[in-house]
């Protein structure tokens, strides 16, 4: 289900077109399409069971799509050389625990087509960088979970791939290592690598991704530039604080407003009308004395839930 | 048509070979187990030889008066093992028993007219465990027969002529020389067993390796770099190499130890026979190991693998349970028939080769069927392997495995 990609932009790394996949009649991926360019960080987002891992496995050639095409590096992606240009950190992690760290890394680098000596050299550089040089000769089972996660990450980037597919890279990581991984991902993006980042923790992904592909029950919910998606989302969140003695009866005259949080002296409103949020703030200030005001777009998670609800879908595991 | 990536196949094979050769399971199976078996076998040979050198004095009380002469003549004709002494005791029964209690001799036989008539001679031993008294049963039996014939008036020459032993001296039609029991039967049977067990052990180690890769999730990373078919073939090659190494070690240790006890000159198989053995081993191993790999891919854990695999192992092992009849009647129609049923081919043919020289047409036909079925098995196993290897949450059902094999399963 891969296509020949003649005449495609040389910066195009990945093109997924109308890809579908079912398991025993149950649709896991339903006509999904998206593209990735060099230097992109695309967030593949959705709840557990939304179809993210199936899409990733199709891209990696681990499973076959029932329909649609996947084009890697602007040409037929079935060849071994294409797999060598892709790095993969699967959600279901694992290495050979009874083998040495360095042996694991050299073996996986060899499978990616690297010369074993070059693989060893590069592995030692990465281990040094992630403060694991002293553990190179140890069996993996003697390392902590956090250290094993780092080794797993090294295995995915060791062969200097052009496309890096990271499936839930932050799960099980402590905050320090989460920050470390975020820095590494940004660094790899700056080197021109395309990074497909799958996660269900949308707040974490919001920090890193330029573009997102939101999926639910195998179908596209939102796709595009993250800031553009947020901008085009009608709803705004207005948080303000005021004198607690103020009379708020005037709020009932406003349509398209929902009070979503109320504490003594502060309120959080959702506004989805045609007027600009600043007009609402002016309206508020004409009735009460505002002490603090902030206007923002709702977090991605709420945009996702709102969009799914608008479509009449359910957020449910497949 | 899928393309093979030989570089990656070799990388997988090398990794599996080097990793497994260092594993305790392989080391125990390859070196420790055969050493224990050989040591226990060697010990039994040594103890039996020590037992043979111990003396055994048997006193014979001849109440007939003229029987001992017949026995003596038999003992001259067929000497007893060294250390066994038979002599006539001429005193009465009470003094004989006293002497026996005093340890002057180890056993006492009493021969009288009833004993000769009934063919049952009473023996008293000083030690309840003294079973070696039976060494005299052959000469004693012949002496009784001769005594009876003498009673009928036959001369000693006529008796010797009537009771002379008969033996069969076999020679195979196409063989100039017969090496004896060890060369004819024991060595080929042992080789057959070694090949069969090595193929089974290698296949089993591979299956548990697959289950482990599935359990620790490393398989998904592997499949992001190498196709399921290449991975399977790499594993088959790696573990096949281990099987050959295991055979070399077993045969080496076996020859070294057996050479201490037996004369093995002239029992080494010819190059042609060796190549035929090797062909059956390699193809038989590929057949079994591809089955085991597919089985491992469908299992969720090693415990499940153990149960089902135990049943699958039994199928190719069926001829081993029939080893005796196969070696004894290698050209029977039923033997020829099961030698053409794919899972039974390697073990049944190797065992039959211990009992006969198989005709060329049969070697060609069984190897051809075996080679074709190996290709079919690898193809089907690869499909099941591919379909089952990423099912982490549960084991694959038989129906699902059948759908995978026929190309109708999820992939």
């Amino acid at each position: 289900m891969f296509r020949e990609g003649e005449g495609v932009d040389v910066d195009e790394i990945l093109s997924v077109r109308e890809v579908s996949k079912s398991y025993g009649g149950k649709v896991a991926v339903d006509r999904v399409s998206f593209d990735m360019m060099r230097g992109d960080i695309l967030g593949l987002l959705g709840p557990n069971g939304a179809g993210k891992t199936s899409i990733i496995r199709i891209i990696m050639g681990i499973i076959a799509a029932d329909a649609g095409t996947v084009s890697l590096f602007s040409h037929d992606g079935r060849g071994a050389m294409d797999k060598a240009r892709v790095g993969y950190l699967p959600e279901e992690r694992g290495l050979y625990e009874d083998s040495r760290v360095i042996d694991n890394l050299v073996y996986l680098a060899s499978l990616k087509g690297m010369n074993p000596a070059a693989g060893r050299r590069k592995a030692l550089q990465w281990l040094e960088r992630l403060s694991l040089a002293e553990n190179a000769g140890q069996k993996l089972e003697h390392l902590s979970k956090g250290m094993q996660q780092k080794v797993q990450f090294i295995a995915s980037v060791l062969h200097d791939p052009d496309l890096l597919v990271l499936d839930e890279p932050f799960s099980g990581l402590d905050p320090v290592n989460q920050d470390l991984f975020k820095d590494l991902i940004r660094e790899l993006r700056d080197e021109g690598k395309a990074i497909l980042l799958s996660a269900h923790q949308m707040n974490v992904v919001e920090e890193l991704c330029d573009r997102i592909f939101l999926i639910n029950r195998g179908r596209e919910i939102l796709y595009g530039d993250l800031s553009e998606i947020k901008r085009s989302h009608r709803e705004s969140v207005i948080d303000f604080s005021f004198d607690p003695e103020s009379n708020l009866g005037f709020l009932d005259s406003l349509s398209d407003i929902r009070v979503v949080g109320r504490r003594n002296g502060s309120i959080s409103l959702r506004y989805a009308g045609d007027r600009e949020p600043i007009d609402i703030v002016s309206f508020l200030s004409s009735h009460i004395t505002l002490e603090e005001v902030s206007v923002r777009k709702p977090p991605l998670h709420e945009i996702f839930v709102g969009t799914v609800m608008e479509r009449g879908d359910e957020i449910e595991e497949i | 048509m899928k393309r093979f990536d030989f570089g990656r196949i070799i990388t997988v094979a090398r990794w599996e070979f080097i990793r497994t050769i260092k594993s305790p399971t392989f080391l125990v199976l390859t070196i420790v187990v055969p050493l224990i078996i050989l040591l226990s076998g060697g010990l039994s040979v040594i103890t039996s030889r020590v037992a043979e050198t111990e003396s055994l004095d048997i006193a014979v009380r001849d109440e007939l008066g003229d029987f001992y002469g017949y026995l003596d003549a038999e003992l001259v004709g067929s000497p007893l093992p060294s250390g066994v002494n038979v002599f006539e005791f001429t005193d009465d029964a009470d003094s004989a028993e006293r002497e026996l209690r005093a340890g002057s001799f180890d056993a006492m036989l009493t021969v009288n007219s009833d004993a000769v008539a009934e063919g049952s001679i009473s023996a008293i031993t000083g030690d309840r465990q003294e079973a070696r008294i039976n060494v005299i049963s052959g000469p004693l039996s012949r002496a009784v027969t001769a005594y009876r014939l003498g009673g009928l008036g036959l001369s000693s020459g006529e008796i010797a002529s009537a009771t002379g032993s008969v033996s069969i001296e076999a020679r195979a039609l196409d063989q100039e020389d017969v090496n004896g029991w060890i060369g004819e039967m024991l060595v080929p049977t042992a080789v057959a067993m070694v090949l069969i067990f090595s193929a089974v052990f290698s296949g089993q180690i591979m299956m548990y390796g697959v289950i482990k890769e599935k359990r620790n999730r490393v398989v998904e990373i592997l499949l992001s770099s190498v196709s399921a078919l290449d991975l399977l073939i790499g594993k088959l090659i790696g573990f096949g190499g281990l099987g050959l190494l295991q055979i070399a070690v077993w045969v080496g240790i076996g020859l070294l130890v057996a050479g201490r006890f037996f004369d093995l000159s002239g029992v080494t198989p010819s190059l042609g026979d060796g190549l035929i053995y090797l062909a059956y081993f390699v193809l038989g191993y590929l057949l079994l190991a591809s089955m085991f790999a597919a089985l491992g891919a469908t299992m969720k854990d090693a415990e499940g693998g153990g149960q089902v695999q135990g049943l699958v192992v039994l199928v190719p092992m069926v001829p081993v349970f029939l080893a005796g009849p196969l070696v004894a009647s290698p050209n029977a129609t039923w033997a020829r028939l099961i030698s053409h049923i794919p899972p039974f081919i390697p073990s049944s043919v190797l065992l039959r080769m211990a009992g006969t020289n198989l005709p060329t047409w049969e070697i060609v036909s069984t190897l051809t069927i075996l080679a074709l079925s190996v290709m079919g098995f690898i193809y089907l196993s690869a499909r099941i392997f591919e379909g089952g290897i990423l099912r982490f949450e549960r084991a694959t059902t038989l129906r699902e495995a059948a759908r995978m094999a026929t190309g109708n399963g999820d992939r």
Side-chain angles (χ1 to χ4, degrees), chain A residues 21 57 88 96 111 152, chain B residues 8 213 217 220-221 411:
Chain A
K21 177 73 183 174
R57 284 178 175 171
Y88 182 36
Y96 295 97
L111 285 180
Q152 193 96 45
Chain B
R8 280 171 177 76
E213 279 179 352
R217 309 296 198 248
E220 187 155 3
I221 297 183
R411 197 225 136 207

Side-chain angles (χ1 to χ4, degrees), chain B residues 88-385:
Chain B
E88 186 175 11
F89 189 84
T90 49
D91 281 358
D92 59 23
D94 290 341
S95 62
E97 196 169 323
R98 271 199 305 279
E99 292 288 328
L100 182 61
R101 284 185 192 284
S104 303
F105 43 83
D106 303 299
M108 178 184 71
L109 301 175
T110 302
V111 182
N112 52 32
S113 54
D114 288 346
V116 170
E118 293 168 12
S120 172
I121 295 169
S122 76
I124 303 172
T125 62
D127 184 346
R128 283 167 59 189
Q129 304 297 322
E130 187 53 83
R132 288 185 301 153
I133 186 78
N134 285 323
V135 295
I136 200 174
S137 63
L140 196 59
S141 174
R142 291 193 295 276
V144 169
T145 305
Y147 184 82
R148 286 170 181 160
L149 293 171
L152 295 172
L154 269 63
S155 68
S156 58
E158 289 168 327
I159 292 170
S161 172
T163 58
S165 63
V166 177
S167 65
I168 299 171
E169 292 192 15
R171 184 177 68 82
L173 195 59
D174 53 355
Q175 275 188 328
E176 289 291 318
D177 182 31
V178 175
N179 291 318
W181 180 71
I182 290 178
E184 278 182 282
M185 307 285 268
L186 184 61
V187 171
T189 308
V191 169
M193 290 296 190
V194 162
L195 296 179
I196 293 162
F197 282 110
S198 176
V200 171
F201 286 156
S202 303
Q204 280 180 327
I205 294 175
M206 177 174 165
M207 189 190 80
Y208 286 113
V210 168
I211 293 173
K212 206 169 169 184
E213 279 179 352
K214 196 175 163 180
R215 197 184 60 219
N216 66 21
R217 309 296 198 248
V218 74
V219 71
E220 187 155 3
I221 297 183
L222 299 177
L223 292 178
S224 72
S225 304
V226 61
S227 74
L229 186 62
D230 288 350
L231 184 63
L232 178 65
I233 293 173
K235 284 175 178 295
L236 288 173
I237 293 172
F239 284 95
L242 287 165
L244 288 172
L245 177 71
Q246 199 169 48
I247 287 169
V249 172
W250 286 357
V251 170
I253 293 175
L255 289 177
L256 206 68
V257 178
R260 303 280 299 172
F261 301 105
F262 304 109
D263 177 15
L264 297 177
S265 57
V267 302
T268 314
S270 67
L271 181 64
D273 282 349
L275 288 175
I276 291 171
Y277 284 142
L278 190 67
Y280 282 107
F281 165 75
V282 171
L283 292 172
Y285 158 77
L286 289 173
L287 191 84
L288 284 181
S290 57
M291 267 167 58
F292 286 157
L295 201 61
T298 60
M299 294 294 115
K300 188 185 170 204
D301 48 42
E303 289 72 31
Q307 289 162 13
V308 180
Q309 169 266 350
L311 297 175
V312 175
V313 153
L314 287 179
V315 177
M317 294 293 275
V318 166
V320 176
F321 303 133
L322 300 170
L326 275 171
V327 175
S329 311
N331 294 315
T333 306
W334 66 268
R336 287 204 155 109
L337 190 68
I338 68 166
S339 294
H340 286 82
I341 299 171
F344 302 153
I345 293 175
S347 44
S348 65
V349 172
L350 286 170
L351 286 167
R352 287 176 62 208
M353 284 172 73
T356 187
N357 288 320
L358 285 185
T360 308
W361 72 263
E362 213 171 337
I363 290 173
V364 171
S365 66
T366 51
L367 280 177
T368 306
I369 294 172
L370 191 55
L372 290 173
S373 39
V374 162
M375 284 191 271
F377 264 89
I378 290 179
Y379 175 75
L380 294 177
S381 295
R383 297 191 83 128
I384 296 172
F385 184 82

Side-chain angles (χ1 to χ4, degrees), chain A residues 21 24 57 60-62 64 80 83 88 90 92-96 98-99 103 107 111-113 152, chain B residues 3 5 8 11-12 14-15 19 212-213 216-218 220-226 390 392-393 410-411:
Chain A
K21 177 73 183 174
R57 284 178 175 171
M60 296 305 303
I62 295 171
K83 281 197 170 188
Y88 182 36
E92 299 280 6
R93 308 209 210 302
L95 293 171
Y96 295 97
D98 52 356
S99 293
D103 294 339
Y107 174 50
L111 285 180
K112 289 291 187 187
Q152 193 96 45
Chain B
R3 288 169 295 180
D5 185 331
R8 280 171 177 76
T11 302
V12 172
R14 194 172 53 214
W15 169 261
R19 215 168 71 86
K212 206 169 169 184
E213 279 179 352
N216 66 21
R217 309 296 198 248
V218 74
E220 187 155 3
I221 297 183
L222 299 177
L223 292 178
S224 72
S225 304
V226 61
L390 289 174
F392 300 130
E393 293 77 19
D410 295 327
R411 197 225 136 207

